[in-house]
């Protein structure tokens, strides 16, 4: 699994890891049922602390992206059914859309950009 971290970013490493795995799932690079590396193996491979990987895995498990089994390890879950977005996610999306508007993008341009990004996964 090829991961890249921006150590100068304000985004915590566990969130960078979580985000990259979620994007990998959405883009089909990680398939439902596919086993992920152990916490120890991923920490060694990516050069981050085991607690960082553990925190990212715990978050993704809570969100329903992965499941863990003591004997089976950590695996990618099947696609989640469409559920309403939590208020926190809606607020983040609202903020990003506001920033696009303030940057001068028209509604059509913002929707086109969203469509492109959606297709990328």
């Amino acid at each position: 699994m090829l991961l890249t971290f921006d150590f100068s970013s304000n985004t915590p490493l566990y969130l960078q890891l979580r985000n990259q795995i979620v994007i990998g799932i959405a883009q089909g690079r990680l398939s439902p049922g596919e086993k992920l590396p152990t916490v120890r193996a991923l920490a060694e491979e990516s050069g981050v602390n085991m607690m960082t990987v553990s925190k990212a895995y715990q978050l993704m498990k809570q969100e329903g992206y992965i499941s863990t089994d003591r004997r089976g390890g950590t695996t990618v879950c099947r696609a989640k059914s469409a559920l309403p977005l939590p208020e926190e996610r809606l607020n983040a999306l609202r903020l990003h859309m506001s920033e696009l508007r303030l940057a001068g993008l028209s509604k059509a341009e913002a929707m086109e950009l969203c469509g492109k990004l959606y297709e990328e996964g």
Side-chain angles (χ1 to χ4, degrees):
M1 181 179 301
L2 183 61
L3 299 167
T4 57
F5 293 98
D6 181 356
F7 292 96
S8 63
S9 172
N10 289 333
T11 303
L13 293 176
Y14 80 94
L15 280 179
Q16 291 183 42
L17 173 59
R18 175 248 181 230
N19 294 346
Q20 290 181 65
I21 292 174
V22 169
I23 289 170
I25 294 168
Q27 291 178 338
R29 290 184 283 122
L30 294 169
S31 304
E34 184 172 341
K35 287 185 77 165
L36 295 178
T38 64
V39 169
R40 181 184 306 274
L42 187 54
E44 289 175 5
E45 176 184 326
S46 59
V48 297
N49 188 291
M50 284 186 2
M51 291 304 296
T52 298
V53 177
S54 179
K55 190 170 183 177
Y57 274 19
Q58 288 174 5
L59 179 58
M60 288 185 293
K61 182 179 177 183
Q62 288 174 343
E63 295 172 332
Y65 293 115
I66 64 172
S67 64
T68 56
D69 179 321
R70 289 182 190 211
R71 290 175 285 173
T74 302
T75 56
V76 175
C77 288
R78 303 251 176 262
K80 299 183 341 180
S81 61
L83 298 174
L85 286 175
E87 191 65 31
E88 176 183 316
R89 298 265 173 100
L90 285 174
N91 288 337
L93 182 57
R94 188 174 290 114
L95 173 62
H96 291 303
M97 296 307 288
S98 297
E99 290 171 340
L100 292 176
R101 176 185 250 170
L102 292 172
L105 270 70
S106 68
K107 181 178 179 180
E109 291 169 326
M111 295 305 290
E112 182 180 342
L113 178 60
C114 288
K116 286 180 183 177
L117 294 173
Y118 185 86
E119 292 301 320
E120 290 177 11

